[in-house]
Amino acid sequence: MYDYQYVYYKNSYLLRQLQYYPYVQLTVIAVFGVLAYIAFSYSKTAEQNRVWVGLAKETAHQLGTPLSSLMAWVEYFKSEPKLAEMGITEELGKDIKKLEMITARFSNIGSVPILKQERLYDVVQATISYLQPRISTKVRIEVHEESPGITAAINKPLFDWVIENLCKNAVDAMSGIGKIDVNISKGSEGKVYIDVTDNGKGMNKSSLKRVFQPGFTTKKRGWGLGLTLVKRIVENYHQGKIIVKSSVVDEGTTFRIVLRT
Ligand SMILES: Nc1ncnc2c1ncn2[C@@H]1O[C@H](COP(=O)(O)OP(=O)(O)OP(=O)(O)O)[C@@H](O)[C@H]1O
Ligand SMILES: [Mg+2]
């Protein structure tokens, strides 16, 4: 008779394996949890993107029809000497240009925008020339270029929108008087910096943390959407970065955009 009997000096192999089982189980649960979280946040971002893009596309689309009709009317007015003399056609033409600009912005944000190498100084200067007469005469905006001819791949209508939003915020941070400097410079590894500096009221630490959050505003009539849009345009549409480079209460703020050449 070969009947074996085991005498264990320690826990059996099975029992030792069982010791680890709860850890394995917990790890599996944790992995599932993480995967579920990633899937959820991904679908949330995708939904947000769809809302942005859909709304923008629809706006551009709806603006298109009255705009082309207005353009036709202006052409007709031009042939009426009386109206042309009164300068009405010219003013109408300017408003139409502005509407066209808005439509271009919305239609670009509602599609995959085409990026083109542009001279940043020229693009920024054009936006500033448009903005300057529309803000207080006591706020001066200056554009500087570290070396001539700095270019970056940008979508002009969207980049205009970024500069306009940053400058408007800078103007709002001042009490009617002040100076805004836009500095264009080259960084390392083909990076290009666009710094927008104001000498406005600056931001405290808690504001600094929240500036890019949708809905964060300290203004009575603000929507808190300007910087959210700016961040979106710079990061999603230009693969760039935007940061608050510095902000000191009562001294001023510098926003830095980082793009690639
Ligand atoms: N240059 C700046 N100086 C000081 N504070 C600023 C500056 N830029 C932004 N902020 C602060 O960040 C907040 C958010 O700015 P954001 O542009 O997103 O919204 P908003 O200007 O309040 O409203 P809007 O949607 O009309 O742009 C502002 O309310 C302001 O408190
Ligand atoms: Mg704003």
Side-chain angles (χ1 to χ4, degrees):
M1 288 291 277
Y2 300 107
D3 206 1
Y4 292 106
Q5 297 280 327
Y6 291 101
V7 177
Y8 289 106
Y9 295 99
K10 55 182 180 182
N11 285 340
S12 72
Y13 180 62
L14 187 68
L15 204 58
R16 267 187 290 141
Q17 270 196 324
L18 270 177
Q19 259 181 346
Y20 298 112
Y21 187 67
Y23 296 109
V24 173
Q25 205 174 23
L26 281 179
T27 316
V28 170
I29 292 172
V31 167
F32 266 107
V34 169
L35 282 181
Y37 175 75
I38 292 173
F40 176 71
S41 69
Y42 180 79
S43 82
K44 213 177 124 193
T45 332
E47 189 183 307
Q48 277 177 352
N49 283 347
R50 276 204 300 278
V51 172
W52 267 94
V53 168
L55 208 62
K57 255 190 197 161
E58 181 63 17
T59 309
H61 182 73
Q62 293 208 5
L63 275 171
T65 323
L67 197 57
S68 21
S69 146
L70 271 176
M71 279 153 108
W73 276 110
V74 167
E75 283 312 308
Y76 170 72
F77 290 160
K78 274 185 192 158
S79 61
E80 290 280 314
K82 239 190 188 169
L83 288 171
E85 242 172 62
M86 284 158 74
I88 290 177
T89 33
E90 203 181 309
E91 286 307 310
L92 270 176
K94 279 187 199 161
D95 286 337
I96 288 178
K97 274 258 142 58
K98 167 91 192 171
L99 278 172
E100 273 180 326
M101 190 175 86
I102 296 171
T103 314
R105 286 174 177 181
F106 278 104
S107 103
N108 272 294
I109 213 160
S111 56
V112 180
I114 297 157
L115 305 185
K116 242 179 78 187
Q117 284 288 333
E118 305 263 7
R119 269 195 71 167
L120 290 174
Y121 183 88
D122 297 344
V123 175
V124 176
Q125 191 62 58
T127 314
I128 303 303
S129 312
Y130 171 80
L131 273 180
Q132 189 76 70
R134 286 168 176 78
I135 57 176
S136 158
T137 47
K138 285 177 187 147
V139 175
R140 252 186 328 126
I141 312 180
E142 278 179 15
V143 192
H144 314 274
E145 191 177 32
E146 184 199 42
S147 56
I150 299 179
T151 63
I154 55 166
N155 178 275
K156 210 165 155 292
L158 293 184
F159 190 73
D160 277 350
W161 210 354
V162 167
I163 299 296
E164 194 180 308
N165 263 309
L166 291 179
C167 288
K168 275 188 181 161
N169 278 348
V171 171
D172 290 342
M174 297 163 182
S175 40
I177 306 175
K179 191 162 177 271
I180 303 169
D181 284 298
V182 184
N183 270 305
I184 302 161
S185 59
K186 272 189 172 167
S188 57
E189 297 157 25
K191 283 182 191 145
V192 174
Y193 300 135
I194 300 117
D195 294 345
V196 181
T197 306
D198 66 66
N199 60 357
K201 63 178 188 291
M203 282 180 269
N204 59 23
K205 266 203 178 132
S206 78
S207 293
L208 267 176
K209 264 194 228 150
R210 302 177 57 198
V211 274
F212 294 111
Q213 276 177 14
F216 172 72
T217 181
T218 53
K219 297 169 197 171
K220 246 191 196 156
R221 295 227 170 102
W223 286 98
L225 283 181
L227 286 177
T228 313
L229 182 77
V230 163
K231 192 176 166 75
R232 199 182 163 78
I233 293 175
V234 171
E235 296 188 351
N236 294 21
Y237 293 74
H238 290 87
Q239 279 73 50
K241 264 207 136 32
I242 177 152
I243 52 164
V244 182
K245 191 171 165 242
S246 65
S247 188
V248 180
V249 172
D250 292 332
E251 280 184 21
T253 306
T254 300
F255 278 89
R256 166 167 281 186
I257 301 169
V258 186
L259 295 179
R260 307 216 145 262
T261 44

